[in-house]
Amino acid sequence: MTSRVLIKDLSALADGPVTVSGWVDTVRDQKKVQFIVLRDESGAAQLVNPALRALPVTDAEAGTVALEGDELAAAEARLATTEAISALAHGSFITVTGELKKDERVKLGGLEVKMATLTVVSEAIPETPIATDSGLDKRMDWRFLDLRHPKQNLIFRIQTTFLHALRKYWVERDFIEIQTPKLMASASESRAELFEVEYFEGKAYLAQSPQFYKQMAQSAGFGKIFEVGPAFRADHSFTSRHATEFTSIDTEISWIESHEDVMKLHEELLVAGFTAVKAKHGAEIKELFDVEVTVPSTPFPRIPLAEAKEIVKERGYEIPRADDDMDPEGERQISAYVAEKFGHEFVFITDYASSIRPFYHMRHEGDPSLTNSYDLLFNGTEISTGAQREHRIDVLVAQAEDKGMDPEELGTYLDFFRYGVPAHGGFGMGLARVLMLLLHESSIREVTYLFRGPTRLEP
């Protein structure tokens, strides 16, 4: 029995018998020959079948067949294959056995398979609901068909490589992987953008981030941890970079001196991830996305928020926000400045005002109006927030009260700090945003397996 061969592995085989399976991409049904472009999860190949349109006869009126025995059986099989190919619809799943032959004239990989047998495993409806020019919302309605496209397939192989490289970095440095609960008794950061769900006789909340539990691991003595998992934000935004459910990449480390230690870890992780992606998929990314993957140099540029605002202002843009934060256009402007001055796609914006940071961010020694925190921008868009956390229980309680929070509602969280915890910090980073900006895609919906937003819960 000949086992199925992935299309990407055909070029390494010698000419001879082979079995391939996949989806019908196109059929060219000519009079004397038929061609099928077959696509599987690894690539596409050309199949060829010498067409037989009718059995040879000696008397057409009487229908007398000119062949007998094995020759007749072979001709009938060829005729059945020809008719089956003519009836194939785009997307039908088939298995083909035949003879692999290398032929430089074949544009698709320089090889083809001369068909011997054809098995239609699953027929597709002839009229497909989406086309290459379908809009994004329509494509999302039929995501399983949209994902058959080679570009979409590549996105998730890139994602796999990227996450594997990050995990390799963590594991080789003795980080511990954790899985934190996504059902919580209280908000993980604030009650804004919070999903409330029924939970037996009471209420629960979907976790906005694993923040509190990452910090609990520091109190537990884990030292260095990471998690890749879902996070939920009840955000009514319809921008290209927001989702109500997304994959968050989180890490937290103990025994730090400042947020500079967190930034150093952060940039080393990204270098590891981008190096792996470029090595394995760089050529395909260039071919399908016309993007040259650049492994960022270290250290990444670092600009304090106040200075970044001045730079943006000098470039002719006045940030209109009433608070102390940067807006999306400001992020694009400062990223453009960094690209021009440093030739870098990344920039850390540091030292955010305490007025716009969570209560658990450590404030500057001698200047409580600023925090030991940062946002990381990539190609003009924020992908991550990181900080040194406040580990002193009395300061933590005071900062919570300063934010108008009731320490009683933070009881379990504050308990983490009553029995000794080292200085620590970490970050959370959106996976989809990284992929979107890496591939220069216009929306995170393009790089999310199944997107969830304010108006989308299906498929």
Side-chain angles (χ1 to χ4, degrees), residues 274 292-296 335 338-339 343-347 377-380 437-438 440:
F274 276 52
E292 194 74 48
V293 177
T294 300
V295 177
S335 294
V338 168
H344 215 287
E345 295 180 313
F346 290 88
V347 58
L377 310 184
F378 175 31
N379 282 336
L437 297 162
L438 168 66
H440 296 195

Side-chain angles (χ1 to χ4, degrees), residues 230-268:
F232 303 87
R233 299 284 171 94
D235 189 341
H236 283 88
S237 296
F238 291 88
T239 75
S240 62
R241 64 187 189 279
H242 286 94
T244 53
E245 178 182 358
F246 60 95
T247 299
S248 185
I249 299 170
D250 286 87
T251 194
E252 201 83 9
I253 53 174
S254 284
W255 309 111
I256 68 171
E257 294 184 5
S258 75
H259 54 311
E260 177 61 38
D261 295 314
V262 182
M263 288 189 285
K264 186 174 185 297
L265 165 65
H266 203 158
E267 61 192 12
E268 288 179 357

Side-chain angles (χ1 to χ4, degrees), residues 180-248:
T180 61
K182 306 310 170 192
L183 286 169
M184 303 180 66
S186 61
S188 53
E189 295 200 20
S190 72
R191 292 197 175 276
E193 302 178 354
L194 191 65
F195 284 112
E196 182 181 285
V197 297
E198 294 184 5
Y199 194 73
F200 300 105
E201 302 303 316
K203 297 289 184 182
Y205 304 93
L206 296 181
Q208 297 164 304
S209 84
Q211 182 57 45
F212 287 2
Y213 298 118
K214 290 192 299 179
Q215 291 187 261
M216 188 190 83
Q218 309 314 300
S219 181
F222 281 27
K224 298 181 292 187
I225 62 93
F226 70 94
E227 177 179 14
V228 178
F232 303 87
R233 299 284 171 94
D235 189 341
H236 283 88
S237 296
F238 291 88
T239 75
S240 62
R241 64 187 189 279
H242 286 94
T244 53
E245 178 182 358
F246 60 95
T247 299
S248 185

Side-chain angles (χ1 to χ4, degrees), residues 302-450:
R302 289 145 164 77
I303 304 176
L305 178 61
E307 182 182 335
K309 287 184 174 182
E310 287 300 315
I311 293 171
V312 167
K313 186 176 181 181
E314 290 173 3
R315 290 174 65 88
Y317 179 70
E318 190 81 40
I319 295 172
R321 295 181 65 125
D323 60 16
D324 295 315
D325 208 351
M326 183 86 81
D327 71 345
E329 180 57 28
E331 291 176 349
R332 286 188 285 270
Q333 289 286 338
I334 194 63
S335 294
Y337 165 81
V338 168
E340 294 164 8
K341 185 174 178 62
F342 302 105
H344 215 287
E345 295 180 313
F346 290 88
V347 58
F348 287 115
I349 306 299
T350 66
D351 305 321
Y352 275 73
S354 57
S355 61
I356 56 172
R357 286 312 209 198
F359 74 94
Y360 53 80
H361 281 197
M362 181 175 282
R363 299 180 181 180
H364 276 207
E365 190 71 31
D367 187 357
S369 68
L370 299 177
T371 58
N372 289 359
S373 70
Y374 67 86
D375 277 358
L376 178 57
L377 310 184
F378 175 31
N379 282 336
T381 299
E382 176 213 327
I383 60 170
S384 177
T385 294
Q388 180 176 12
R389 322 302 187 187
E390 180 53 68
H391 60 279
R392 297 162 295 187
I393 182 62
D394 55 335
V395 178
L396 198 57
V397 170
Q399 290 184 179
E401 292 174 337
D402 183 54
K403 292 283 188 179
M405 304 176 73
D406 182 358
E408 290 296 320
E409 293 189 2
L410 297 167
T412 301
Y413 171 71
L414 293 177
D415 283 345
F416 301 160
F417 303 90
R418 301 186 192 280
Y419 300 92
V421 59
H424 61 280
F427 67 83
M429 179 170 67
L431 173 61
R433 287 195 186 184
V434 175
L435 295 173
M436 175 186 75
L437 297 162
L438 168 66
L439 299 173
H440 296 195
E441 288 290 88
S442 60
S443 171
I444 63 168
R445 290 182 287 176
E446 295 280 12
V447 297
T448 302
Y449 183 64
L450 289 172

Side-chain angles (χ1 to χ4, degrees), residues 29 34 49-53 77-87:
D29 195 0
Q34 297 168 306
N49 179 62
L52 181 64
R53 300 298 176 177
R78 276 187 61 197
L79 178 60
T81 298
T82 299
E83 293 173 345
I85 292 172
S86 296

Side-chain angles (χ1 to χ4, degrees), residues 12-58:
L13 298 180
D15 289 0
V18 71
T19 298
V20 291
S21 298
W23 290 269
V24 174
D25 197 60
T26 59
V27 175
R28 286 188 290 135
D29 195 0
Q30 300 174 2
K31 184 177 181 179
K32 294 184 177 181
V33 66
Q34 297 168 306
F35 297 96
I36 299 173
V37 174
L38 186 74
R39 188 175 299 281
D40 68 9
E41 60 269 35
S42 69
Q46 177 172 287
L47 315 180
V48 60
N49 179 62
L52 181 64
R53 300 298 176 177
L55 293 175
V57 297
T58 55

